[in-house]
Every structure is written in structure tokens, then in C-alpha cells.
Amino acid sequence: MNIGRILLSKKSVSGHNSSNISKKKKKKKMESEKRKSSRENMVQKLYDTCKQIFANGKAGYVPPPHDIQRLTSLLDSLEPKDFKFTAPSLEFSSTNPPGTVEAPLVTYIKIHECNKFSIGIFCLPPSGVIPLHNHPGMTVLSKLLSGTMHATSYDWVHNHDHQANHYRGQQESRMRLAKVYVDADFTAPCKSSVLFPESGGNMHCFKALTPCILLDVLGPPYSEPEGRHCTYYQHYSYDHISFSDVNKEMKMKEDETRSYAWLEERKDEQFVVLGGTYDGSTIKL
């Protein structure tokens, strides 16, 4: 009798433990599926957030700081896998033959575009370049999802702190003085960047040092009918224009000149990209 009771007691304990283990496994599986489902909806979440923040849809509109923070936080959490990019796709085959001087072609994948905002991805092979260009009346968020690239950006000098900005009008009518905002290398994962209609490096360019994936959000996007034309520029060092025949007060100190550059509009510039196909999750509009 005592032995029977002991065996029965052990069997009950064993059954109770098995039940607990089963519940824990089930809970972990549910949590795993929940996380997976959440990752699968990241592109949809990006679309929904952009739709809310750029509902105004007008040129020159700058979302309030809390909306910018909400969107940058979301971009910072994104990964290549959220857009169904796999390891082999990072090795982009768009490279030019040896001895070719032109930069290899960049691929652009459109995820969504409407008159209020656009979401797209640039795939740059090593040495791939997005030339210096502007964003008139636009707020732009960029997120480097993969790779290492060099970014350079500028803002126009609108004030009269530097009299040289007056002088350039006499010497080179198509040149304008700009202040360097960013000139650095970036490696993913890194924080997303934001530029505004009049600040934050509204004119920028990128050069891939390794295969790169760059997410781009424009609000609103370019539009010829609405006057948001993409203009390309050639940059020159501040010393490109000689000041030998003008007042010395117009000269800058040597270390200060590195923070400025002359930008000249390139009338004949064309940025040709390859069109890519988005194979990620379908967006519900």
C-alpha cells in the first residue's frame, strides 16, 4: 500500500511537470510567431506611418518634431530582411568592365509612390554613385540598411556673413556658396538621417564603398507640374574662385574654407538607374 501510494505520487508529479513544459513550449511558440508576424508587417507599418505624417502633402511642409522622431525610430528598427533582401542580393551584379571610367549603375526599387510621399530603395554596387542633387520643398529620410558609403551634403548660405557670396555673382553667375553639413563615411547599422527644405543637408550625394542598400522616404516626392524638379550640381572647393583682386576681408581662414564649397548647376546631368522589382510584403493601401 505504501509503495503504491509513492508510485502514484511520483506519476502525478511527472504528469504535472510534463503539462508545465508543454505550456511553456506553446507560449514560446506563440511569442515567436507573434514576433515573426510583427516583422512581416514592418513595411506596412512604414507605409501607414508615412501616410499619417505626410497627410498634408504640400511642398515646404515640415512635420512636427514628434512625428519626425516617430518615423526615424521606425526607420532605425528596419533591416534588409524586412524588404525580403537575402545575402546573395547584396552582391549586386551591376559592375562595369575593368577600365571603364563611368560609375556602375544603381538600381532603384519603388515600394510606393503617391502625390504625398514615396518609399523606395537604392541598391548601389561598390563605387556606385548617387550624384549631388537637391530636394526642393521636401522632407527626406534616409536609412542605410546595409553596407558602407560616403555621404556628403550641403545647405545654401542665405545670410551675408560671407561677402564672398556677393562676389561670386560677378565672377560665376551659376555658382552659389554652400555650407558643408555632412562629409563622412557611414556603415550599417547606423541611425537614419533627415533633411528639410532649408536645412539638414538638403543637397546630398552618396558613393558606395561596399554593396549598399539605402532606404529613401520623400515627403512630398518630386513633381515637375508642382515645381519640384530634381537639380544636379557640380561641387568645387571654396578656393576654386580666386580672391586675389578683392578685399582681403572676403577671404576665409584656411580651416574655415573646408566647411564651404561652390555648387554649380549641371544642366545636362542625367541620373540613370536600373529598375528593380519589389518582392516584399504587399502593402494594403
Side-chain angles (χ1 to χ4, degrees):
M1 290 294 292
N2 291 339
I3 294 175
R5 287 175 182 173
I6 293 172
L7 292 175
L8 180 62
S9 175
K10 285 184 178 180
K11 184 177 180 181
S12 299
V13 171
S14 176
H16 181 69
N17 288 340
S18 297
S19 176
N20 284 342
I21 292 173
S22 178
K23 287 180 180 179
K24 287 180 180 179
K25 286 183 177 179
K26 187 176 181 180
K27 184 178 180 181
K28 286 183 178 180
K29 184 178 180 180
M30 290 176 64
E31 290 175 348
S32 176
E33 290 177 350
K34 186 177 180 181
R35 285 195 297 269
K36 183 179 179 181
S37 175
S38 176
R39 293 308 307 183
E40 289 177 349
N41 292 329
M42 290 301 285
V43 179
Q44 182 67 51
K45 187 175 181 180
L46 174 60
Y47 167 81
D48 292 338
T49 305
C50 288
K51 186 177 180 180
Q52 296 170 10
I53 291 176
F54 295 112
N56 180 289
K58 295 181 180 178
Y61 171 73
V62 177
H66 67 272
D67 278 342
I68 293 293
Q69 178 61 42
R70 183 156 62 105
L71 191 50
T72 54
S73 295
L74 176 56
L75 262 66
D76 288 342
S77 69
L78 294 175
E79 302 174 16
K81 64 182 180 183
D82 294 317
F83 301 91
K84 306 302 181 184
F85 280 104
T86 56
S89 68
L90 304 182
E91 298 300 330
F92 318 119
S93 60
S94 176
T95 55
N96 290 337
T100 306
V101 294
E102 291 84 3
L105 290 176
V106 172
T107 298
Y108 180 73
I109 301 172
K110 182 173 74 173
I111 296 176
H112 174 79
E113 183 172 343
C114 61
N115 63 340
K116 294 184 177 181
F117 67 92
S118 68
I119 304 171
I121 289 178
F122 288 99
C123 300
L124 297 85
S127 299
V129 172
I130 298 177
L132 183 61
H133 61 285
N134 69 344
H135 306 82
M138 301 154 68
T139 296
V140 179
L141 296 95
S142 301
K143 167 65 177 176
L144 183 60
L145 296 171
S146 176
T148 298
M149 63 167 44
H150 187 87
T152 309
S153 65
Y154 306 86
D155 287 312
W156 293 123
V157 174
H158 292 293
N159 57 40
H160 303 300
D161 290 344
H162 303 293
Q163 297 179 42
N165 203 29
H166 296 290
Y167 182 70
R168 60 88 190 165
Q170 303 169 23
Q171 190 148 338
E172 292 286 350
S173 60
R174 290 196 301 169
M175 284 192 176
R176 289 185 62 183
L177 185 64
K179 184 174 176 59
V180 177
Y181 184 79
V182 167
D183 185 12
D185 292 344
F186 294 89
T187 299
C190 56
K191 295 290 184 180
S192 55
S193 62
V194 190
L195 64 82
F196 303 100
E198 300 292 338
S199 62
N202 184 273
M203 296 159 288
H204 65 196
C205 60
F206 303 100
K207 181 175 182 178
L209 304 180
T210 69
C212 291
I213 299 176
L214 180 68
L215 175 65
D216 216 31
V217 175
L218 311 181
Y222 293 105
S223 172
E224 291 280 354
E226 296 179 17
R228 292 189 300 279
H229 171 71
C230 184
T231 302
Y232 295 94
Y233 299 92
Q234 176 66 49
H235 79 280
Y236 300 94
S237 67
Y238 182 79
D239 295 330
H240 176 73
I241 292 181
S242 174
F243 295 96
S244 59
D245 298 327
V246 297
N247 194 302
K248 291 182 179 180
E249 292 180 0
M250 295 172 64
K251 295 183 180 180
M252 294 184 189
K253 295 179 181 179
E254 185 176 351
D255 58 342
E256 190 179 10
T257 63
R258 299 192 190 96
S259 299
Y260 292 86
W262 297 100
L263 304 189
E264 181 180 24
E265 184 176 339
R266 302 180 68 170
K267 296 290 186 181
D268 59 344
E269 178 73 12
Q270 289 186 338
F271 179 40
V272 179
V273 296
L274 299 173
T277 303
Y278 172 61
D279 296 320
S281 305
T282 303
I283 296 175
K284 296 179 182 178
L285 304 181

